[in-house]
Amino acid sequence: MPQSVAMRAKQLDRRVRVLIADDHPVIRSMVRSTLQQHPDFEVCGEAADGAQAVDEAKKLKPDVVVLNISMPVLNGFEAAREIRANLPKSAIVILSSHADETFVREAKNIGVRAYVAKTRAGEALVKAVEAAVLGEDFVLVK
């Protein structure tokens, strides 16, 4: 029987903790609002740039980090590499305006589990985070 997010949350004995990193406050707010509707997700923190995302991830140890690619200080790929190196159990989801196969390949090379174009976020963000939590791949860019 395949594992569900609810089963994973039960194993953790808490809700799945998600860190959101995007340099646009409106996007962070939208992502927070979307994820908080899921009964098994808890948004544990936010970051406005890649370096802050790395620092918050180290401090909060989230189960999932949702990263934008185009951010100041460290871009999302650089932040993802740092987070993977320091927190290999934290799954990473890229939420980006870059819907190009080159970006998806780069993300996969880093170890990112899910990649969603911002234009598809409404329908796919929760599915992407669920997949990442369960160790599955999820890509929706077109």
Side-chain angles (χ1 to χ4, degrees), residues 15-58:
R15 295 193 299 171
V16 174
R17 300 175 75 239
V18 183
L19 171 65
I20 302 164
D22 196 295
D23 55 323
H24 297 289
V26 173
I27 299 292
R28 286 196 313 271
S29 177
M30 182 268 310
V31 171
R32 175 183 282 279
S33 175
T34 299
L35 295 179
Q36 285 181 324
Q37 292 177 34
H38 193 291
D40 296 310
F41 293 163
E42 170 192 349
V43 176
C44 64
E46 295 183 14
D49 64 55
Q52 187 181 17
V54 172
D55 291 343
E56 289 296 302
K58 287 178 182 176

Side-chain angles (χ1 to χ4, degrees), residues 57-72:
K58 287 178 182 176
K59 181 172 73 179
L60 300 170
K61 297 179 179 35
D63 302 299
V64 180
V65 181
V66 177
L67 288 171
N68 181 20
I69 292 175
S70 299
M71 291 189 292

Side-chain angles (χ1 to χ4, degrees), residues 56-122:
E56 289 296 302
K58 287 178 182 176
K59 181 172 73 179
L60 300 170
K61 297 179 179 35
D63 302 299
V64 180
V65 181
V66 177
L67 288 171
N68 181 20
I69 292 175
S70 299
M71 291 189 292
V73 189
L74 288 178
N75 69 40
F77 289 146
E78 294 164 332
R81 282 186 193 92
E82 288 281 323
I83 292 166
R84 296 284 310 139
N86 288 284
L87 300 161
K89 291 184 179 178
S90 291
I92 298 173
V93 174
I94 296 286
L95 178 63
S96 178
S97 57
H98 300 286
D100 183 276
E101 205 49 47
T102 306
F103 286 89
V104 174
R105 271 195 306 278
E106 176 68 18
K108 291 261 183 223
N109 289 340
I110 295 169
V112 170
R113 299 297 329 194
Y115 191 111
V116 178
K118 284 184 179 178
T119 56
R120 306 299 297 271

